[in-house]
Amino acid sequence: MALPTHWGVRPEETARRYPCDDCIPAPGGTWFRAVSVQAPPEAVYRWLCQMRVAPYSYDLLDNLGRRSPRVLTPGVEDLAAGQRVMTIFELVSFTPGRDMTLRMLPGPGRRLFGDLALTYDVRTDDSGVTRLVVKALLGAERGTLNEARRRALAWGDLLMMRKQLLTFRTLAERHAATR
């Protein structure tokens, strides 16, 4: 498990099935990103719901310079399939308190990045630590250009997703410490 396709993930986390597997059954690429969080799973999941209002990575690049909120937005935890998430994704499915599966909407994002489905999964490990794992599946578009694009995107995604997951970790841990 090497960069840029895998970061922070454990072997057992790559072996299990995730809801995004139903979105792209024969992917052209699979990426995993993960962090441990010293906060209860429900706190981590609640922060994931905030993706309905902001991306929580490098705001200058992917949020038009607006800072992603550092306080919870009331009501965004009321999820429904079909909702927009981070502007270019649609919420495909979710298990309250456990996972959220997103898929890139047709349009400029999909033309630029290709088909993409991802699951954000929150659960505790055997030691009781909360793990936030993301599995991303890329479409299987063929061709030399698409292969080169996937390789380049893996590095870009690692940079952005790492920042996002570390931000969620910080916010969830801070939130849990004030409770």
Side-chain angles (χ1 to χ4, degrees):
M1 294 188 292
L3 294 176
T5 61
H6 291 68
W7 174 78
V9 70
R10 299 171 181 166
E12 66 273 14
E13 293 166 336
T14 65
R16 67 175 165 248
R17 185 161 177 74
Y18 292 83
C20 64
D21 294 323
D22 295 330
C23 296
I24 303 178
T30 303
W31 304 334
F32 284 94
R33 284 76 170 94
V35 293
S36 294
V37 185
Q38 298 299 319
E42 56 273 8
V44 177
Y45 187 82
R46 179 58 183 86
W47 278 102
L48 288 179
C49 294
Q50 288 288 120
M51 290 188 295
R52 287 188 46 209
V53 296
Y56 286 87
S57 60
Y58 291 101
D59 289 334
L60 187 60
L61 294 174
D62 64 2
N63 202 23
L64 303 174
R66 294 183 308 261
R67 184 167 186 191
S68 296
R70 294 313 196 244
V71 295
L72 294 171
T73 305
V76 297
E77 70 278 13
D78 298 328
L79 301 178
Q83 291 172 329
R84 280 197 174 221
V85 179
M86 296 184 291
T87 308
I88 60 173
F89 289 95
E90 175 184 17
L91 180 63
V92 174
S93 67
F94 63 97
T95 304
R98 177 61 165 270
D99 61 62
M100 297 173 64
T101 298
L102 314 176
R103 188 155 191 186
M104 181 81 67
L105 288 164
R110 191 177 284 185
R111 282 192 297 279
L112 180 62
F113 303 115
D115 196 7
L116 179 65
L118 50 148
T119 295
Y120 288 78
D121 184 79
V122 180
R123 60 180 79 190
T124 54
D125 66 12
D126 293 338
S127 68
V129 171
T130 300
R131 292 286 293 164
L132 171 54
V133 178
V134 181
K135 180 178 184 178
L137 299 176
L138 289 78
E141 298 89 358
R142 302 278 182 238
T144 305
L145 183 60
N146 285 316
E147 291 299 321
R149 177 178 66 177
R150 274 195 287 274
R151 282 193 300 275
L153 283 174
W155 284 106
D157 179 76
L158 174 61
L159 178 74
M160 301 300 281
M161 184 74 69
R162 179 182 179 278
K163 172 66 170 159
Q164 182 188 58
L165 296 182
L166 293 174
T167 299
F168 283 138
R169 177 174 71 188
T170 298
L171 293 169
E173 288 176 350
R174 185 178 307 143
H175 180 80
T178 62
R179 298 252 158 196

